[in-house]
């Protein structure tokens, strides 16, 4: 059995009755092609099943019509709504999306940001930590999505208002009557901002801030932090976890201690991930509207790509909201 060779740009040009160079112009979306000739070329390409060679387009110096997104870890559910928002903002412009995970190729001595730039992406949404010394080429727009501990100078930032989210969670628990409240958290830019706001709000209300947990904002950290909190403060009545994944660990620790949720201990999370709404958890949580963060970050990037002149960097904060479910209630009497 012989394999049929894939169609080439010459095949498309022959079928459409035009030159190879004109086909190239159509494939790179050159505005100097008439509507009739563009339609003929696209029809010929569709009939032949021709797909442009992206690598060749890069070598030719043309735009790739591709946006790169750098994330920390594909397993983090925070990225799901954020990426949905990015995709929704890019779709009307015909821009495709490519992802790079900082952990996927951690064994290699290369930066996922640099890897994307080597592909000549038209812009990058940077939604990962750890790029303090980032060098951004002047011709590559970059927008930060999410709160970060350190932001390279001159870059736009779109993030949820994490400080407001911390206050929302604290106010909810205080409003229910809780006075022994533990904040289980981890490291990272957004967690640090949320932590500071939560501690401040508790102190303002005359409540001793109790903070446990360090390291990644993971289920394991949530479990261990809550376990230690229950051991040292057996009278605690509420736990605010830095994200929904940590809240899962907190819930497990509370149940392993023989306590009920919310009758004995209330638990609130952050991020409004699909986990929170599941019938298994029905978790009260803060919704940072990460889909809106992704949409606004991508929209800002599109504006940067199309801008004739550079402009000053902007910082946009998306207001969060509280979603009350069944894991919080007034404290036991």
């Amino acid at each position: 059995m012989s394999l049929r060779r894939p169609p080439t740009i010459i095949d498309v040009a022959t079928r459409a009755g035009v030159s190879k160079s004109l086909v190239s112009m159509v494939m790179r979306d050159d505005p100097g092609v008439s509507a009739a000739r563009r339609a003929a070329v696209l029809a010929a390409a569709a009939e032949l099943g021709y797909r442009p060679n992206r690598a060749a387009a890069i070598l030719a110096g043309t735009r790739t019509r591709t946006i790169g997104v750098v994330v920390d870890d594909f397993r983090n559910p925070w990225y799901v709504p954020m990426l949905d928002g990015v995709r929704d903002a890019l779709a009307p412009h015909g821009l495709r999306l490519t992802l790079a995970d900082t952990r996927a190729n951690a064994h290699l001595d290369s930066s996922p940001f640099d890897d994307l730039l080597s592909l000549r992406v038209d812009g990058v949404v940077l939604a990962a930590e750890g790029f303090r010394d980032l060098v951004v080429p002047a011709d590559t727009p970059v927008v930060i999505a999410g709160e970060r501990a350190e932001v390279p100078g001159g870059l736009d930032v779109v993030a949820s208002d994490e400080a407001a989210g911390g206050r929302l969670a604290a106010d909810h628990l205080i409003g229910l009557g809780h006075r022994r409240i533990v904040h289980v958290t981890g490291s990272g830019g957004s967690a640090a901002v949320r932590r500071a706001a939560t501690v401040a709000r508790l102190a303002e209300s005359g409540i001793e801030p109790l903070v446990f947990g360090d390291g990644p904002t993971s289920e394991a950290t949530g479990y261990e932090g809550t376990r230690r909190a229950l051991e040292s403060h057996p009278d605690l009545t509420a736990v605010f976890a830095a994200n929904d994944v940590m809240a899962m660990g907190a819930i497990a620790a509370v149940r392993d201690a023989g306590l009920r949720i919310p009758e004995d201990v209330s638990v609130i999370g952050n991020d409004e991930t699909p986990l929170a709404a599941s019938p298994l958890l029905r978790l009260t949580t803060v919704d940072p509207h990460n889909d809106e963060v992704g949409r606004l970050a991508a929209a800002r990037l599109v504006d940067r790509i199309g801008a004739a002149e550079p402009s000053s960097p902007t910082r946009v904060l998306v207001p969060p909201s509280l979603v009350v479910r069944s894991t919080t209630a007034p404290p036991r009497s």
Side-chain angles (χ1 to χ4, degrees), residues 312-327:
S312 300
T314 59
R315 179 177 175 83
V316 176
L317 293 181
V318 176
S321 59
L322 182 70
V323 181
V324 179
R325 296 192 178 95
S326 62
T327 59

Side-chain angles (χ1 to χ4, degrees), residues 193-283:
V193 173
R194 204 176 306 127
R195 172 180 185 164
T198 302
V199 166
R201 182 65 98 205
L202 293 176
E204 290 168 4
S205 302
I207 298 173
E208 178 189 3
L210 304 173
V211 180
F212 284 78
D214 192 19
T217 50
S218 64
E219 183 176 358
T221 303
Y223 181 92
E224 182 60 22
T226 304
R227 185 192 66 77
R228 290 191 290 109
L230 286 167
E231 284 183 352
S232 57
H233 302 281
D235 59 339
L236 73 85
T237 63
V239 176
F240 170 35
N243 62 22
D244 293 346
V245 174
M246 293 192 79
M248 289 178 59
I251 288 171
V254 170
R255 288 175 175 166
D256 283 355
L259 300 172
R260 300 166 299 165
I261 298 170
E263 292 86 354
D264 299 316
V265 179
S266 288
V267 177
I268 181 171
N270 190 92
D271 281 348
E272 179 58 347
T273 63
L275 295 169
S278 72
L280 180 63
L281 290 182
R282 296 188 175 91
L283 177 68

Side-chain angles (χ1 to χ4, degrees), residues 39-53:
V41 169
L42 293 177
E47 291 168 6
L48 293 171
Y50 171 75
R51 294 184 181 278
N53 187 322

Side-chain angles (χ1 to χ4, degrees), residues 2 24 30 36 39 51 79 109 148 150 160 164-165 191 206 209 217 221 227 231 241 256 265 271 276 305:
S2 61
S24 295
D30 193 308
R51 294 184 181 278
Y79 291 115
D109 187 21
R148 298 291 171 254
E150 295 174 318
S160 178
T217 50
T221 303
R227 185 192 66 77
E231 284 183 352
D256 283 355
V265 179
D271 281 348
I305 292 170

Side-chain angles (χ1 to χ4, degrees), residues 143-148 151 155-159 313-317:
V143 174
I144 304 291
E147 193 68 67
R148 298 291 171 254
V151 176
L155 298 185
D156 298 302
V157 177
V158 179
T314 59
R315 179 177 175 83
V316 176
L317 293 181

